[in-house]
Structure formats: C-alpha cells, structure tokens
Amino acid sequence: MNTVRAAFLAVSAFALLGTAAHAETYEGVTAPVSAMTRDAVRAEARATAAAPDQNVTRGSRGPETVAVSQPRARVVAEAVRTAAAPDQNVSSGSRVNSTVISTLPNPVDVRAQSAAGSRL
C-alpha cells in the first residue's frame, strides 16, 4: 500500500509541475470600450426607463395596422362571387364515383352580364 501511495504522490506532483509550466499570467480586467460617454449612457437609460408603455404586451394598444395590397371594393366583389359560386363546397371526392364539373353559371356573373347588357 505504501508503493501505491508513493506512486500516487509522484504522479500528482508531476501533474502539478506540468500545469504550472502552462499557466496563463493574469493581466487584469480589460478596459471597457464604448462609443458613448458615461453621461450619454445614463441619459439614454433614464429616457428608456421613463418611456410610456414599455412593458405592454402586443395587441393591448389597439388594432395593429395592416398593409393593404388590393382595393377594398375588389376584395368585397371577390368574396361575394366566391360565396355565390354554385359548387363552392363540392369536390371530386364529395360523391361516390362522381366527377364534379361546374355547369351552373355563377349568379354574380349572370347579374354582371345582364347589367352590362342593359347599359348598351
């Protein structure tokens, strides 16, 4: 048991000597680098802390704005035409062994054609 202890101490001493040779030197804390002065940072922090509604969750300030890509009248007309389509809820798999082919004219198109025909 004496030899095991001696071997352990020898290995431990050798390991400590090996780490001491590779130790880094302490050069102190690095100097802070900033583009702003301390007073400018302090003023910005005070302004940010005093800003209204800084911790309010999204959506609690009212409706958010939405980017509009089409005129409202065009969107409404498209919605009315789609809602009036005769086969809007029917697909080829809706009925057994059937193929859906729309043969009915859309009522919105019929009204538009009759209105255009009456203007001539």
Side-chain angles (χ1 to χ4, degrees):
M1 190 163 207
N2 226 356
T3 58
V4 173
R5 186 178 293 167
F8 178 74
L9 288 175
V11 170
S12 298
F14 184 70
L16 287 174
L17 288 175
T19 58
H22 296 289
E24 296 180 7
T25 58
Y26 178 71
E27 297 177 5
V29 179
T30 58
V33 178
S34 177
M36 298 173 65
T37 64
R38 185 178 294 265
D39 292 333
V41 172
R42 187 177 293 123
E44 183 179 337
R46 285 185 181 147
T48 303
D53 298 331
Q54 62 177 326
N55 295 323
V56 177
T57 59
R58 183 176 182 179
S60 63
R61 296 182 191 134
E64 295 184 14
T65 59
V66 178
V68 178
S69 60
Q70 293 184 359
R72 186 177 196 83
R74 178 183 285 173
V75 173
V76 169
E78 184 180 338
V80 168
R81 185 178 187 287
T82 302
D87 294 336
Q88 66 173 327
N89 294 325
V90 181
S91 66
S92 61
S94 296
R95 299 186 184 120
V96 177
N97 297 328
S98 66
T99 303
V100 175
I101 300 174
S102 180
T103 56
L104 301 173
N106 194 314
V108 174
D109 295 338
V110 172
R111 275 186 263 145
Q113 287 174 354
S114 66
S118 65
R119 290 183 197 158
L120 297 175

